[in-house]
Amino acid sequence: MSRHVVIVGAGPAGLAAVEHALRAGARVTVLDQAESPGGQYHRRPPGADAARHGRSDFDRRRRLLAHPRCRWWPGAAVWAFDRVENRLHVLRGQPDGSGRRRLTLVPDALILATGAHDRTLPFPGWELPGVYTAGAAQALAKGERVAIGGRVLVAGAGPFLLPVAESLLDVGAEVVAVLEANPFTTVRKGWSARPWRLAAQAGKAGELGRYAATLARHRVPYRFGRAVIEARGADSVREVVTAGVRADWSIIPGTERTYEVDAVCVGHGFVPQPELAVAAGCVLDGGFVKVDGEQRTTVDGVFAAGEITGIGGAVTSAAEGAVAGRAAAGEKPAPALIRARDRALTFAGRLASAHPIGTAWRSWLREDTIVCRCEETTYGELVRATTDPARPGPHALKLGTRAGLGPCQGRMCGPAVSELCGGTERHHRPIAQPIRLGELAARTEGEPG
C-alpha cells in the first residue's frame, strides 16, 4: 500500500506538496482551517477574474484536491499532535458553530505548511479601534470586499505593504501614503547585490511594476525611512503621527508629521506559526523550523515547508513544498527540484537584508504604551519586571505581568515581549488551536475510513 502523507496547510507550500506527493504515488490528506485552498496569498475576492492574477499553477494544483488518492478537508483545525502515538488531533466544522467532529489521523509522513502571521510592533495608541494589521486589512479587502476605512495610512516594513495598498484601493479606500520604515539605501543594498540570483523570482519584477503603476495612478506617495510612531483618537483612530527614522529606526527629531485618517494598517513582516512543529518535538533555529536539504525536520517522518522554515514568499514556499512532497512520499527529490528550491531561497535572504527590523524601535515606546493588548500590559510594567529579582526568567515574568496570557496566547505580542525582555519566545502550547471544553471532553471518532 502507498504511503499516507498528511499535509497541514493548503497555501502555496501545501498545494505544491500535494502535487508532488501524488506524483510519487502517495495517498494524501490535506487539512486547512479555511473553506478554500490557497492561503492568504491566493485569497480571491468574490467573482474575481482568475486570469488577472496569473494563477495557472494555483488553479492546476487546486484541481488536484479532487484526485482519487487525495482527501481534502477544509474547515479542519489541527489542535494537537501526540508525538508518542504519532497521532494528529483534528476538529472539523465551522469554528464558531456547534457539532464539530473530533477526528484523529496517524500518517506515515507529516508535512507541516502552517505558514506565518503578521508581526506588528507596538506604538502608543496601537490598541485603538481602527488600527489593523496589514494582513487583516488585506483579508477583509480581498475576501469580503470591505475597506477598513475611508482614509487609510499603510505603514511598516517589507514588500507586503504594496499588495495591501492595492487591495485597499480596489475596494474604494483612499490610501494617503505607504511608508517603508527602512531608508532607501538599506532597501537598495538588500535587493541589488548579485541581482542575477533572483532569476527564480523574475515574475516579481512585473508584480512590482503593477503596484508602482497602481500607486502612481491613484497618486499615493511611497516614502522610505518613515514610520508610524503614534495613533491618536478618543474612541477610535482619528490621526496618526509619523516620523523620519534612521537606519536603526531611531526617530529623527523635528521630522514628525500628522495625518488625519480613520484607519491605519501596520505590518512589520511576519512571524512563523511553529506550534505544531514544537509539539512534534522539532528543533527551531532562530524561531523557524530547522530542516535539512530534503525539508526533513529533526523528527523522523515530519517535514516542514514554507514560511515556518523562513519568510520567503509564495514562490519559495512552493519550491520547498515540492521537495517536501516528494521526500515525504518516500521518493528522492529530483536534482531539478532541489536546484529550484535553492534558487528560490535566495529571495528569502534578500528580503531579510532589505527590510530588517531596526533595533531602536523601542525608542517609540512610552511607559504607559500597551505592549500586550489582550492583558493591557504596559511597557513600564515589563521594564520593571525585568529588573525585579523576584521574577527571574521569562516564565516568571510572563506570570507576573500576564503578558502573552490573553486570548491570542502571545501570538501578537510574543516577539515584542521577547525582544524587550531579552528572553526567547515560547511556542510550546499543548493545545495549538482554541477548542471548547465540551469538544476537549468529547469522544474522538478516530480516523474515518
Side-chain angles (χ1 to χ4, degrees), residues 212-295:
T214 300
L215 294 187
R217 188 167 63 252
H218 291 271
R219 298 185 177 181
V220 178
Y222 185 93
R223 304 278 188 251
F224 291 97
R226 201 160 190 89
V228 170
I229 60 169
E230 184 180 0
R232 296 172 177 166
D235 51 2
S236 63
V237 172
R238 291 289 177 264
E239 60 182 30
V240 293
V241 181
T242 71
V245 294
R246 303 182 182 91
D248 65 353
W249 293 18
S250 57
I251 296 172
I252 302 172
T255 60
E256 292 82 358
R257 178 180 174 183
T258 301
Y259 289 86
E260 289 187 9
V261 297
D262 56 11
V264 56
C265 70
V266 186
H268 299 98
F270 299 92
V271 289
Q273 301 190 78
E275 287 84 359
L276 285 176
V278 171
C282 303
V283 171
L284 304 186
D285 182 4
F288 296 97
V289 181
K290 185 177 181 180
V291 292
D292 68 5
E294 294 186 351
Q295 302 299 134

Side-chain angles (χ1 to χ4, degrees), residues 127-139:
E127 72 279 9
L128 283 170
V131 179
Y132 292 81
T133 65
Q138 191 191 45

Side-chain angles (χ1 to χ4, degrees), residues 76-81 88-92 100-104 275-276 279 429-435 439-442 444:
V78 181
W79 61 274
F81 180 75
L88 212 57
H89 292 266
V90 184
L91 283 169
R92 289 202 67 191
R100 288 199 293 182
R101 298 178 65 193
R102 183 175 160 180
L103 306 167
T104 59
E275 287 84 359
L276 285 176
R429 300 181 181 93
I431 298 177
Q433 295 287 338
I435 178 173
E439 292 170 332
L440 188 62
T444 179

Side-chain angles (χ1 to χ4, degrees), residues 293-381:
E294 294 186 351
Q295 302 299 134
R296 301 175 190 274
T297 70
T298 53
V299 176
D300 188 36
V302 179
F303 299 74
E307 308 285 49
I308 61 169
T309 69
I311 305 300
V315 174
T316 305
S317 294
E320 289 188 338
V323 172
R326 292 282 182 167
E331 187 176 278
K332 190 164 185 60
L337 284 183
I338 299 292
R339 287 195 298 271
R341 189 272 318 275
D342 291 345
R343 285 195 301 270
L345 283 174
T346 300
F347 185 82
R350 300 299 181 92
L351 190 63
S353 62
H355 303 277
I357 301 297
T359 56
W361 65 267
R362 65 183 66 193
S363 66
W364 309 345
L365 307 181
R366 302 170 188 155
E367 182 167 331
D368 63 350
T369 301
I370 289 174
V371 176
C372 171
R373 295 194 292 192
C374 296
E375 295 293 331
E376 298 187 344
T377 307
T378 66
Y379 176 53
E381 289 175 275

Side-chain angles (χ1 to χ4, degrees), residues 92-234:
R92 289 202 67 191
Q94 292 291 333
D96 54 352
S98 59
R100 288 199 293 182
R101 298 178 65 193
R102 183 175 160 180
L103 306 167
T104 59
L105 292 168
V106 182
D108 296 315
L110 172 65
I111 299 177
L112 298 173
T114 48
H117 59 77
D118 290 272
R119 181 180 185 186
T120 301
L121 300 175
F123 52 86
W126 78 311
E127 72 279 9
L128 283 170
V131 179
Y132 292 81
T133 65
Q138 191 191 45
L140 284 169
K142 291 177 71 174
E144 308 296 333
R145 305 293 296 172
V146 171
I148 59 172
R151 186 174 164 82
V152 185
L153 181 73
V154 178
F160 183 55
L161 301 178
L162 294 170
V164 171
E166 181 187 61
S167 298
L168 289 168
L169 291 167
D170 277 348
V171 292
E174 177 191 359
V175 177
V176 298
V178 179
L179 308 182
E180 162 67 50
N182 288 291
F184 176 72
T185 50
T186 301
V187 177
R188 184 192 61 186
K189 185 178 178 181
W191 288 113
S192 62
R194 299 178 180 179
W196 59 89
R197 292 191 175 180
L198 290 172
Q201 306 272 354
K204 291 291 183 186
E207 201 174 327
L208 180 62
R210 194 187 77 224
Y211 296 140
T214 300
L215 294 187
R217 188 167 63 252
H218 291 271
R219 298 185 177 181
V220 178
Y222 185 93
R223 304 278 188 251
F224 291 97
R226 201 160 190 89
V228 170
I229 60 169
E230 184 180 0
R232 296 172 177 166

